[in-house]
Amino acid sequence: MFDIMDFGIGEFTGDSGSDSSAPSGPYIPEASECMRCGMCVSSCPTFRLFETDMETPRQRIRTISKVLVEDVPISAEERGHLDNCLQCRACETACPSRMSYGSLFDQARMKLQQTVARPRLAKLAMYLIEHKRRRRMLLPLLSLYLRSGLRKPLRASGLLRKLKLANAESLLNEPALGSLAGIYPVGRRQRQRGRVALFTGCLAEHFDRATQRAAIKLLNTIGYEVVVPEGQGCCGAIHQHNGCSAQALKDKNIEAFYELEVEAVIYVASGCGAMLSEYQGDDSETAGWFGRSLQDINDFLLAHWPDTLEPAASNLNVAVHEPCSQRNVLKNGRAVHELLRKIPGLNIEALPDNQLCCGAGGSYMLSHPDNAQQLRNAKRQAIEGSGADVVVSSNFSCAFYLNADRAETALKLVHPIRLLADRV
Ligand code: SF4
Ligand code: SF4
């Protein structure tokens, strides 16, 4: 198994693993303030899987309190239950004390991670997430492998399992090569209303190019020039949730977008957006500007959609999957429904059991494949039972995981803006 949870990127980055920018800002209850009321328990996907108190947010908060407040060692068993967390943050939404579980978890993970030796393969993966040029150099090889016909015999040989790469390999699909970086102007006959920048992320830049092109097309169509700065990189979510400092990635992104003279920095994937929206640093002018400029693509399109622009009608039945990052962090799921209503005739329903995580959980699909696959199976059943012609999801990671390794005929998830982009 490719164990991304045990990363040691320090060897590559010189990062000691400590974070001088421990989350601050709005009041964050300390882990010791949990009332142990249990209101969060039934919302937790791992409690649903294991039905034991050790797999509840309440118990994890107790473990986090030992790490952060009492500063006492925790057992391997407690560590295992803590690591089983998907970081879906459904417990935050359920908690009457507004316990900031996500922030507390990240702080505890960072403290614990300082003492752990990490596998080389995991270190390499994190290194590639950090280094755009190196990542791009590998993509043609990946593309060649996927097209070569080697995939079937290699899978059958058992070598991938021996190398603990079988799970990661099963998720692969054809990457887009090259870069999107540049300026995308509005059409010659159109009046330009403004200028915005697009955040493309790390993996989504290559594995969700169609959605990013749809974003550019729609923004151009409603009159906005789009700038895609080459200097941007990964949002840092995978680093932060795995106990590594994401500060260098945050600083790099803020710097890449600052002074572009744009009125908004727009993200497409809600998982990246959740991380970007919680960038906290030194309260500098640049960090403040970034926070004020950040906008979700669904929100931006909805707020700036011209009254005169009517997409082509469609009678498709659409089920809306609501990613945890959108539901529990950004809390802007209604924008998707309202935006899709711009398409006349569309029948739009929420996917049943939207409150339950699909299992992707950033790197969780790699670190805990058995748990992740059980949750994915449940989500796929909900999708198949929905009767939908199309399922939409605003998070790249969820769609990537739910679409992976499926028959070509299976119902695929797409970002909601792709339905719009196809009809304008
Ligand atoms: S709902 Fe909040 S206060 Fe209650 S047990 Fe869960 S984390 Fe603690
Ligand atoms: S973040 Fe999700 S998986 Fe983790 S304790 Fe909270 S509800 Fe459970």
Side-chain angles (χ1 to χ4, degrees):
M1 185 178 70
F2 181 127
D3 196 353
I4 207 165
M5 301 301 274
D6 288 326
F7 282 152
I9 61 162
E11 276 182 31
F12 284 104
T13 62
D15 172 19
S16 67
S18 64
D19 184 6
S20 57
S21 66
S24 59
Y27 171 65
I28 296 174
E30 285 191 14
S32 56
E33 291 181 61
C34 169
M35 302 181 296
R36 302 191 64 73
C37 66
M39 299 278 283
C40 54
V41 170
S42 63
S43 66
C44 178
T46 59
F47 177 69
R48 297 239 189 149
L49 286 182
F50 297 103
E51 296 184 342
T52 157
D53 195 51
M54 291 305 288
E55 288 290 341
T56 62
R58 177 172 59 187
Q59 193 55 40
R60 292 194 179 110
I61 287 281
R62 176 74 197 103
T63 304
I64 289 170
S65 181
K66 283 186 180 179
V67 176
L68 295 179
V69 184
E70 297 163 43
D71 200 16
V72 294
I74 59 168
S75 68
E77 192 190 0
E78 286 172 310
R79 177 71 202 257
H81 290 301
L82 188 65
D83 286 349
N84 271 347
C85 170
L86 288 128
Q87 297 168 72
C88 68
R89 295 169 67 171
C91 48
E92 275 187 22
T93 302
C95 177
S97 300
R98 296 175 60 232
M99 187 65 65
S100 289
Y101 179 87
S103 173
L104 292 168
F105 181 94
D106 289 345
Q107 291 176 54
R109 225 347 149 38
M110 189 160 286
K111 192 166 174 186
L112 290 169
Q113 209 64 9
Q114 291 169 16
T115 56
V116 176
R118 293 133 170 177
R120 282 192 189 157
L121 200 55
K123 284 188 254 180
L124 177 64
M126 198 69 99
Y127 176 78
L128 291 173
I129 285 172
E130 288 173 27
H131 294 86
K132 190 185 260 189
R133 288 209 182 101
R134 307 275 157 76
R135 191 169 68 234
R136 282 186 187 152
M137 284 162 64
L138 287 180
L139 290 172
L141 296 176
L142 172 61
S143 181
L144 194 64
Y145 164 68
L146 293 174
R147 291 165 183 222
S148 67
L150 268 177
R151 198 170 193 184
K152 212 170 170 184
L154 194 61
R155 282 180 169 189
S157 72
L159 184 65
L160 291 169
R161 265 194 308 281
K162 273 191 201 150
L163 294 173
K164 301 183 177 178
L165 283 170
N167 183 44
E169 195 274 348
S170 72
L171 300 173
L172 294 176
N173 61 41
E174 185 72 33
L177 306 179
S179 162
L180 264 187
I183 296 176
Y184 296 83
V186 298
R188 280 197 196 142
R189 291 190 202 148
Q190 267 177 296
R191 184 180 67 85
Q192 183 170 328
R193 294 166 71 192
R195 179 176 153 95
V196 295
L198 185 68
F199 178 83
T200 53
C202 54
L203 297 179
E205 185 193 10
H206 301 289
F207 293 99
D208 201 16
R209 183 65 59 88
T211 300
Q212 298 185 340
R213 289 214 176 275
I216 292 169
K217 178 182 176 185
L218 288 168
L219 290 164
N220 283 167
T221 301
I222 66 169
Y224 286 86
E225 181 173 83
V226 182
V227 189
V228 184
E230 172 65 16
Q232 64 176 305
C234 174
C235 65
I238 292 180
H239 284 63
Q240 179 149 312
H241 301 328
N242 286 287
C244 305
S245 174
Q247 195 59 48
L249 294 167
K250 294 177 188 179
D251 291 344
K252 191 175 172 193
N253 279 325
I254 292 171
E255 189 187 330
F257 285 95
Y258 190 63
E259 290 182 346
L260 283 181
E261 294 183 15
V262 291
E263 60 192 81
V265 175
I266 295 177
Y267 61 83
V268 173
S270 63
C272 301
M275 176 69 189
L276 297 171
S277 70
E278 295 187 339
Y279 270 17
Q280 295 171 32
D282 50 6
D283 288 331
S284 65
E285 186 187 327
T286 51
W289 173 86
F290 189 84
R292 288 191 301 279
S293 304
L294 194 64
Q295 289 205 40
D296 180 277
I297 184 75
N298 299 305
D299 287 332
F300 189 88
L301 290 173
L302 190 59
H304 298 84
W305 196 265
D307 293 341
T308 50
L309 180 61
E310 183 167 301
S314 167
N315 60 3
L316 286 173
N317 294 313
V318 179
V320 181
H321 165 255
E322 193 174 13
C324 300
S325 46
Q326 188 174 56
R327 185 183 184 89
N328 302 323
V329 184
L330 300 168
K331 302 184 195 293
N332 67 341
R334 291 312 307 167
V336 175
H337 290 254
E338 287 180 39
L339 188 62
L340 287 177
R341 282 196 204 104
K342 302 285 179 196
I343 301 174
L346 216 59
N347 181 26
I348 309 157
E349 301 279 351
L351 188 68
D353 281 338
N354 254 337
Q355 78 286 355
L356 206 55
C357 178
C358 68
S363 56
Y364 195 88
M365 63 179 104
L366 296 170
S367 65
H368 293 74
D370 295 342
N371 298 352
Q373 280 165 25
Q374 285 187 63
L375 292 166
R376 180 169 69 175
N377 289 345
K379 192 63 73 181
R380 283 178 172 174
Q381 275 179 16
I383 288 170
E384 274 148 28
S386 69
D389 302 306
V390 183
V391 183
V392 296
S393 172
S394 292
N395 192 24
F396 155 71
S397 169
C398 304
F400 179 79
Y401 187 52
L402 289 164
N403 287 338
D405 215 15
R406 285 192 104 187
E408 278 308 309
T409 52
L411 201 56
K412 302 275 184 186
L413 280 80
V414 295
H415 196 288
I417 61 169
R418 286 186 52 192
L419 297 192
L420 271 169
D422 287 347
R423 289 168 178 78
V424 296

Coordinates of all heavy atoms in Angstrom, one line a residue, residues 281-340:
G281 N -1.8 33.5 7.7 CA -0.4 33.7 7.9 C 0.0 34.8 8.8 O -0.5 34.8 10.0
D282 N 0.6 35.8 8.3 CA 1.1 36.8 9.1 C 0.3 38.1 9.1 O 0.7 39.1 9.5 CB 2.5 37.2 8.6 CG 2.5 37.4 7.1 OD1 1.4 37.4 6.5 OD2 3.6 37.6 6.5
D283 N -1.0 37.9 8.7 CA -1.9 39.1 8.6 C -1.3 40.1 7.7 O -1.6 41.3 7.9 CB -2.2 39.6 10.0 CG -3.1 38.7 10.7 OD1 -3.9 38.0 10.1 OD2 -3.0 38.7 12.0
S284 N -0.5 39.8 6.8 CA 0.2 40.8 5.9 C -0.9 41.3 4.9 O -1.9 40.7 4.7 CB 1.3 40.1 5.1 OG 0.8 39.1 4.3
E285 N -0.5 42.3 4.2 CA -1.4 42.9 3.2 C -1.7 41.9 2.1 O -2.8 41.8 1.6 CB -0.6 44.1 2.6 CG -1.5 44.9 1.6 CD -0.7 46.0 0.9 OE1 0.3 46.5 1.6 OE2 -1.0 46.3 -0.3
T286 N -0.6 41.1 1.7 CA -0.8 40.2 0.6 C -1.8 39.1 1.0 O -2.6 38.7 0.2 CB 0.5 39.6 0.2 OG1 1.2 39.1 1.3 CG2 1.4 40.6 -0.5
A287 N -1.6 38.5 2.2 CA -2.5 37.4 2.7 C -3.9 38.0 2.8 O -4.9 37.3 2.4 CB -2.0 36.9 4.0
G288 N -4.1 39.2 3.3 CA -5.4 39.8 3.4 C -6.0 40.0 2.1 O -7.2 39.7 1.9
W289 N -5.2 40.4 1.1 CA -5.8 40.6 -0.3 C -6.2 39.3 -0.8 O -7.3 39.1 -1.4 CB -4.7 41.2 -1.2 CG -5.1 41.3 -2.6 CD1 -5.8 42.2 -3.2 CD2 -4.9 40.3 -3.6 NE1 -6.1 41.9 -4.5 CE2 -5.5 40.7 -4.8 CE3 -4.2 39.0 -3.6 CZ2 -5.5 39.9 -6.0 CZ3 -4.2 38.3 -4.8 CH2 -4.8 38.7 -5.9
F290 N -5.4 38.2 -0.6 CA -5.7 36.9 -1.2 C -7.1 36.4 -0.6 O -7.9 36.0 -1.3 CB -4.6 35.9 -0.8 CG -4.8 34.6 -1.5 CD1 -4.3 34.4 -2.8 CD2 -5.4 33.5 -0.9 CE1 -4.5 33.2 -3.5 CE2 -5.6 32.3 -1.6 CZ -5.1 32.2 -2.9
G291 N -7.2 36.6 0.7 CA -8.4 36.1 1.4 C -9.7 36.9 0.8 O -10.7 36.3 0.6
R292 N -9.5 38.2 0.6 CA -10.7 39.0 0.2 C -11.0 38.7 -1.3 O -12.1 38.8 -1.7 CB -10.4 40.5 0.3 CG -10.4 41.0 1.7 CD -10.3 42.5 1.7 NE -9.2 43.1 1.1 CZ -7.9 43.2 1.6 NH1 -7.7 42.8 2.8 NH2 -6.9 43.7 0.9
S293 N -10.0 38.3 -2.1 CA -10.2 38.1 -3.5 C -10.7 36.7 -3.9 O -11.1 36.5 -5.0 CB -8.8 38.3 -4.2 OG -8.3 39.6 -3.9
L294 N -10.5 35.7 -3.0 CA -10.9 34.3 -3.3 C -12.3 34.1 -3.5 O -13.2 34.5 -2.7 CB -10.4 33.5 -2.1 CG -10.3 32.0 -2.4 CD1 -9.2 31.7 -3.4 CD2 -9.9 31.3 -1.1
Q295 N -12.7 33.4 -4.6 CA -14.1 33.1 -4.8 C -14.2 31.7 -5.5 O -13.4 31.3 -6.3 CB -14.7 34.2 -5.8 CG -14.9 35.5 -5.1 CD -16.0 36.3 -5.7 OE1 -17.0 35.8 -6.1 NE2 -15.7 37.6 -5.8
D296 N -15.3 31.1 -5.1 CA -15.7 29.8 -5.7 C -16.3 30.1 -7.1 O -17.0 31.0 -7.3 CB -16.7 29.1 -4.8 CG -17.2 27.8 -5.3 OD1 -18.1 27.8 -6.2 OD2 -16.6 26.8 -4.9
I297 N -15.9 29.2 -8.1 CA -16.4 29.4 -9.5 C -18.0 29.4 -9.5 O -18.5 30.3 -10.3 CB -15.8 28.3 -10.4 CG1 -16.3 28.6 -11.9 CG2 -16.3 26.9 -10.0 CD1 -15.6 29.7 -12.6
N298 N -18.6 28.6 -8.7 CA -20.1 28.5 -8.8 C -20.6 29.9 -8.3 O -21.6 30.4 -8.9 CB -20.6 27.4 -7.9 CG -20.1 26.0 -8.4 OD1 -20.3 25.7 -9.5 ND2 -19.5 25.3 -7.5
D299 N -20.1 30.4 -7.2 CA -20.5 31.6 -6.6 C -20.3 32.8 -7.6 O -21.2 33.6 -7.8 CB -19.8 31.9 -5.3 CG -20.2 31.1 -4.1 OD1 -21.4 30.6 -4.1 OD2 -19.4 30.8 -3.3
F300 N -19.1 32.8 -8.2 CA -18.8 33.9 -9.1 C -19.7 33.9 -10.3 O -20.2 35.0 -10.7 CB -17.3 33.8 -9.5 CG -16.8 35.1 -10.2 CD1 -16.3 36.1 -9.5 CD2 -16.9 35.2 -11.6 CE1 -15.9 37.3 -10.2 CE2 -16.5 36.3 -12.3 CZ -16.0 37.4 -11.6
L301 N -19.9 32.8 -10.9 CA -20.7 32.7 -12.1 C -22.1 33.2 -11.8 O -22.8 33.9 -12.5 CB -20.7 31.3 -12.7 CG -19.4 30.9 -13.4 CD1 -19.4 29.4 -13.8 CD2 -19.0 31.8 -14.6
L302 N -22.6 32.7 -10.6 CA -24.0 33.0 -10.2 C -24.1 34.5 -10.0 O -25.1 35.1 -10.5 CB -24.3 32.2 -8.9 CG -25.7 32.2 -8.5 CD1 -26.7 31.6 -9.5 CD2 -25.9 31.5 -7.1
A303 N -23.2 35.1 -9.3 CA -23.2 36.5 -9.0 C -23.1 37.4 -10.3 O -23.6 38.5 -10.3 CB -22.2 36.9 -8.0
H304 N -22.4 36.9 -11.3 CA -22.1 37.8 -12.4 C -22.8 37.3 -13.7 O -22.4 37.8 -14.8 CB -20.6 37.8 -12.7 CG -19.9 38.5 -11.5 ND1 -19.5 37.7 -10.4 CD2 -19.5 39.7 -11.3 CE1 -18.9 38.5 -9.5 NE2 -18.9 39.7 -10.0
W305 N -23.7 36.4 -13.6 CA -24.4 35.8 -14.8 C -25.2 36.9 -15.5 O -26.1 37.5 -14.8 CB -25.2 34.6 -14.5 CG -25.6 33.8 -15.6 CD1 -26.7 33.9 -16.4 CD2 -24.8 32.8 -16.2 NE1 -26.7 33.0 -17.4 CE2 -25.5 32.3 -17.3 CE3 -23.5 32.2 -15.9 CZ2 -25.0 31.2 -18.1 CZ3 -23.1 31.2 -16.7 CH2 -23.8 30.7 -17.8
P306 N -25.0 37.2 -16.8 CA -25.8 38.2 -17.4 C -27.3 37.8 -17.6 O -27.5 36.6 -18.0 CB -25.1 38.4 -18.8 CG -23.8 37.7 -18.7 CD -24.0 36.6 -17.7
D307 N -28.2 38.7 -17.4 CA -29.6 38.4 -17.5 C -29.9 37.9 -19.0 O -30.9 37.2 -19.2 CB -30.5 39.7 -17.2 CG -30.4 40.0 -15.8 OD1 -30.0 39.1 -15.0 OD2 -30.7 41.2 -15.4
T308 N -29.1 38.4 -19.9 CA -29.4 38.1 -21.3 C -28.9 36.8 -21.8 O -29.2 36.4 -22.9 CB -28.8 39.2 -22.2 OG1 -27.4 39.4 -21.8 CG2 -29.5 40.6 -22.1
L309 N -28.1 36.1 -21.0 CA -27.5 34.9 -21.4 C -28.3 33.7 -21.0 O -28.4 33.4 -19.8 CB -26.0 34.8 -20.8 CG -25.2 33.5 -21.2 CD1 -25.0 33.4 -22.7 CD2 -23.9 33.6 -20.5
E310 N -28.9 33.0 -21.9 CA -29.7 31.8 -21.6 C -29.1 30.6 -22.2 O -29.0 30.5 -23.5 CB -31.1 32.0 -22.0 CG -32.0 30.7 -21.6 CD -33.5 30.9 -21.8 OE1 -34.0 31.9 -21.1 OE2 -34.1 30.2 -22.5
P311 N -28.6 29.6 -21.4 CA -28.0 28.4 -22.0 C -29.1 27.6 -22.7 O -30.3 27.8 -22.5 CB -27.5 27.6 -20.8 CG -27.5 28.6 -19.7 CD -28.5 29.6 -20.0
A312 N -28.6 26.7 -23.6 CA -29.5 25.8 -24.3 C -30.2 24.9 -23.3 O -29.7 24.5 -22.3 CB -28.7 25.0 -25.3
A313 N -31.5 24.6 -23.6 CA -32.3 23.8 -22.7 C -31.9 22.4 -22.7 O -31.2 21.9 -23.6 CB -33.8 23.9 -23.1
S314 N -32.2 21.7 -21.6 CA -31.9 20.3 -21.5 C -32.9 19.6 -20.6 O -33.4 20.2 -19.6 CB -30.5 20.1 -20.9 OG -30.3 18.8 -20.5
N315 N -33.3 18.4 -20.9 CA -34.3 17.7 -20.0 C -33.6 16.6 -19.2 O -34.2 15.6 -18.7 CB -35.4 17.1 -20.8 CG -35.0 16.1 -21.9 OD1 -33.8 15.8 -21.9 ND2 -35.9 15.6 -22.7
L316 N -32.3 16.7 -19.0 CA -31.5 15.7 -18.2 C -31.9 15.7 -16.8 O -32.3 16.8 -16.2 CB -30.0 16.0 -18.3 CG -29.3 15.7 -19.6 CD1 -27.9 16.2 -19.6 CD2 -29.3 14.2 -19.9
N317 N -31.9 14.5 -16.1 CA -32.0 14.5 -14.7 C -30.6 14.5 -14.0 O -29.8 13.7 -14.3 CB -32.7 13.1 -14.3 CG -34.1 13.0 -14.8 OD1 -34.9 14.0 -14.6 ND2 -34.4 11.9 -15.4
V318 N -30.4 15.6 -13.2 CA -29.1 15.8 -12.6 C -29.1 15.6 -11.1 O -30.0 16.1 -10.4 CB -28.6 17.2 -12.9 CG1 -27.2 17.5 -12.3 CG2 -28.6 17.5 -14.4
A319 N -28.2 14.7 -10.6 CA -28.1 14.6 -9.2 C -26.9 15.3 -8.8 O -25.8 15.2 -9.4 CB -27.9 13.1 -8.8
V320 N -27.0 16.1 -7.7 CA -25.9 17.0 -7.2 C -25.2 16.3 -6.0 O -25.8 16.2 -4.9 CB -26.4 18.4 -6.8 CG1 -25.2 19.2 -6.3 CG2 -27.1 19.0 -8.0
H321 N -24.0 15.9 -6.2 CA -23.2 15.3 -5.1 C -22.6 16.5 -4.4 O -22.0 17.5 -5.0 CB -22.1 14.4 -5.6 CG -21.0 14.1 -4.7 ND1 -19.8 14.7 -4.7 CD2 -21.0 13.3 -3.6 CE1 -19.0 14.3 -3.7 NE2 -19.7 13.4 -3.0
E322 N -22.7 16.6 -3.1 CA -22.1 17.7 -2.3 C -20.9 17.2 -1.6 O -21.0 16.5 -0.6 CB -23.2 18.2 -1.3 CG -22.8 19.6 -0.7 CD -23.9 20.2 0.1 OE1 -24.8 19.4 0.5 OE2 -23.8 21.3 0.4
P323 N -19.7 17.7 -2.0 CA -18.5 17.2 -1.4 C -18.4 17.8 0.1 O -18.9 18.8 0.4 CB -17.4 17.9 -2.2 CG -18.0 18.3 -3.5 CD -19.5 18.5 -3.2
C324 N -17.7 17.0 0.9 CA -17.5 17.4 2.3 C -16.9 18.8 2.4 O -17.3 19.6 3.3 CB -16.7 16.4 3.1 SG -17.3 14.8 3.1
S325 N -16.0 19.1 1.6 CA -15.3 20.4 1.6 C -16.3 21.6 1.3 O -16.2 22.7 1.9 CB -14.2 20.5 0.6 OG -14.6 20.0 -0.7
Q326 N -17.3 21.3 0.5 CA -18.3 22.3 0.1 C -19.4 22.3 1.3 O -19.8 23.4 1.7 CB -19.0 21.9 -1.2 CG -19.9 22.9 -1.7 CD -20.4 22.5 -3.1 OE1 -21.0 21.4 -3.3 NE2 -20.2 23.3 -4.1
R327 N -19.7 21.2 1.8 CA -20.8 21.1 2.7 C -20.4 21.6 4.1 O -21.1 22.3 4.8 CB -21.3 19.6 2.8 CG -22.5 19.4 3.7 CD -22.8 17.9 3.8 NE -24.0 17.6 4.5 CZ -25.2 17.6 4.0 NH1 -25.4 17.8 2.7 NH2 -26.2 17.4 4.8
N328 N -19.2 21.1 4.5 CA -18.8 21.4 5.9 C -17.8 22.5 6.1 O -17.6 23.0 7.2 CB -18.2 20.1 6.5 CG -19.1 18.9 6.4 OD1 -20.3 19.1 6.6 ND2 -18.6 17.7 6.1
V329 N -17.2 23.0 5.0 CA -16.2 24.1 5.2 C -16.7 25.3 4.4 O -16.9 26.4 5.0 CB -14.8 23.7 4.7 CG1 -13.8 24.8 4.9 CG2 -14.4 22.4 5.3
L330 N -16.9 25.2 3.1 CA -17.3 26.4 2.3 C -18.8 26.7 2.5 O -19.2 27.9 2.5 CB -17.0 26.1 0.8 CG -15.6 25.8 0.5 CD1 -15.5 25.3 -1.0 CD2 -14.7 27.1 0.7
K331 N -19.6 25.7 2.8 CA -21.0 25.9 3.0 C -21.7 26.7 2.0 O -22.5 27.6 2.3 CB -21.2 26.5 4.4 CG -20.6 25.7 5.6 CD -21.0 26.3 6.9 CE -20.1 25.8 8.1 NZ -20.2 24.4 8.4
N332 N -21.4 26.4 0.7 CA -22.0 27.1 -0.4 C -22.7 26.2 -1.4 O -22.8 26.5 -2.6 CB -21.0 28.0 -1.1 CG -19.9 27.2 -1.8 OD1 -19.8 26.0 -1.5 ND2 -19.2 27.8 -2.8
G333 N -23.2 25.1 -0.9 CA -23.8 24.1 -1.9 C -25.0 24.6 -2.6 O -25.2 24.2 -3.8
R334 N -25.7 25.6 -2.1 CA -26.9 26.0 -2.8 C -26.5 26.7 -4.1 O -27.3 26.7 -5.0 CB -27.7 27.1 -1.9 CG -28.4 26.5 -0.7 CD -29.2 25.3 -0.9 NE -30.2 25.4 -2.0 CZ -30.8 24.3 -2.5 NH1 -30.5 23.1 -2.1 NH2 -31.7 24.5 -3.5
A335 N -25.3 27.3 -4.2 CA -24.9 28.0 -5.4 C -25.0 27.0 -6.6 O -25.3 27.4 -7.7 CB -23.5 28.6 -5.2
V336 N -24.6 25.8 -6.4 CA -24.6 24.8 -7.5 C -26.0 24.6 -8.0 O -26.2 24.7 -9.3 CB -24.0 23.5 -7.0 CG1 -24.1 22.4 -8.2 CG2 -22.6 23.6 -6.6
H337 N -27.0 24.5 -7.1 CA -28.4 24.3 -7.6 C -28.8 25.5 -8.3 O -29.5 25.4 -9.4 CB -29.2 24.0 -6.4 CG -29.0 22.6 -5.7 ND1 -29.9 21.6 -5.9 CD2 -28.0 22.2 -5.0 CE1 -29.4 20.5 -5.2 NE2 -28.2 20.9 -4.7
E338 N -28.6 26.7 -7.7 CA -29.0 27.9 -8.4 C -28.4 28.2 -9.7 O -29.0 28.6 -10.7 CB -28.8 29.1 -7.4 CG -29.7 29.1 -6.3 CD -29.5 30.3 -5.3 OE1 -29.2 31.4 -5.8 OE2 -29.5 30.0 -4.1
L339 N -27.1 27.8 -9.8 CA -26.4 28.0 -11.1 C -27.0 27.1 -12.2 O -27.2 27.5 -13.3 CB -24.9 27.8 -10.9 CG -24.0 28.1 -12.1 CD1 -24.1 29.6 -12.4 CD2 -22.6 27.8 -11.8
L340 N -27.2 25.8 -11.8 CA -27.7 24.9 -12.8 C -29.1 25.2 -13.2 O -29.6 24.9 -14.3 CB -27.7 23.5 -12.2 CG -26.3 22.8 -12.1 CD1 -26.4 21.5 -11.4 CD2 -25.6 22.7 -13.4

